[in-house]
Amino acid sequence: MIKRLSFLSLIFAAVILSSCHSKRAVMKGQPGEVVAPQPSIAEKYAQLLGVDQSQIQNGRLYAFIDQWMGTPYKFGGQDHDGIDCSGLSQLLEQEVYAINLPRTTSQQVLVIKRKYEEELQEGDLVFFDYDGRKFGHVGVYLQNGYYVHAGSKGVAIAKLHDPYMYKYFSRCGSLSNTPDTSAGK
């Protein structure tokens, strides 16, 4: 009887653990490679961003976001126990786009090619003068006016034109190898 109970407990634990794992998005392909998203991921993020499901094309990007969504904010953190905004943008750019990005927002703003807001594309960086600091916060632009970032509520997707955050919006751009020396001006 005890052996049977132990066996049933093991099966129950395996089912629970495997069902938890199946809810996580899987990052397929290699960094820098665009792969089709899992249908459930495409549907989920199409709804969140208010776009047609066919517009969710970068499976690595949305699987990455899904893996990190809800991770708590932790200054200086860069793991699932806690992550800060620049750590999230650095990891995302590296794991999704194969781009090495500096660790801090003050360094990250130096490696972008400035753009107008209307020119933003998926993967571009958006900066905010937040907490009294110039370029004190960074997020990664997605589409349809949304970006992903690590803020006080953890890793989340937010609308760029959110009345609270937009007043702090200060700069945006795509990643380039040419430092922008006017960032501090």
Side-chain angles (χ1 to χ4, degrees), residues 9-111:
S9 296
L10 250 129
I11 289 176
F12 180 73
V15 168
I16 294 296
L17 290 174
S18 68
S19 68
C20 291
H21 177 70
S22 66
K23 291 181 182 179
R24 282 256 187 231
V26 177
M27 285 184 64
K28 297 179 181 177
Q30 298 297 315
E33 183 181 352
V34 176
V35 296
Q38 297 170 336
S40 61
I41 294 295
E43 181 181 353
K44 176 181 179 178
Y45 289 97
Q47 279 188 323
L48 270 170
L49 303 177
V51 298
D52 187 77
Q53 195 169 327
S54 66
Q55 291 182 272
I56 305 296
Q57 297 179 357
N58 191 335
R60 284 191 64 79
L61 172 62
Y62 292 98
F64 177 92
I65 293 168
D66 208 59
Q67 290 174 358
W68 286 89
M69 189 68 83
T71 300
Y73 178 86
K74 180 181 175 188
F75 182 75
Q78 203 168 19
D79 59 36
H80 288 283
D81 290 332
I83 192 163
D84 65 14
C85 62
S86 59
L88 179 70
S89 62
Q90 182 189 43
L91 280 177
L92 186 151
E93 295 294 341
Q94 186 176 52
E95 291 184 22
V96 174
Y97 299 106
I99 294 173
N100 291 322
L101 190 62
R103 177 61 177 91
T104 65
T105 57
S106 61
Q107 296 168 329
Q108 290 174 358
V109 76
L110 296 175
V111 297

Side-chain angles (χ1 to χ4, degrees), residues 106-179:
S106 61
Q107 296 168 329
Q108 290 174 358
V109 76
L110 296 175
V111 297
I112 63 165
K113 181 179 180 197
R114 289 182 74 174
K115 285 184 167 182
Y116 292 107
E117 182 182 335
E118 307 79 51
E119 299 172 317
L120 281 169
Q121 294 179 336
E122 215 170 62
D124 288 345
L125 300 182
V126 291
F127 293 90
F128 302 84
D129 295 344
Y130 195 61
D131 288 337
R133 293 186 357 238
K134 194 166 184 76
F135 315 122
H137 187 66
V138 64
V140 178
Y141 187 78
L142 299 174
Q143 54 180 299
N144 198 29
Y146 286 90
Y147 65 100
V148 63
H149 70 126
S152 61
K153 295 178 182 172
V155 176
I157 291 176
K159 189 115 177 105
L160 186 60
H161 281 267
D162 171 84
Y164 177 75
M165 283 301 287
Y166 192 67
K167 64 185 172 189
Y168 298 108
F169 178 68
S170 62
R171 183 166 295 180
C172 58
S174 57
L175 293 167
S176 70
N177 294 328
T178 310

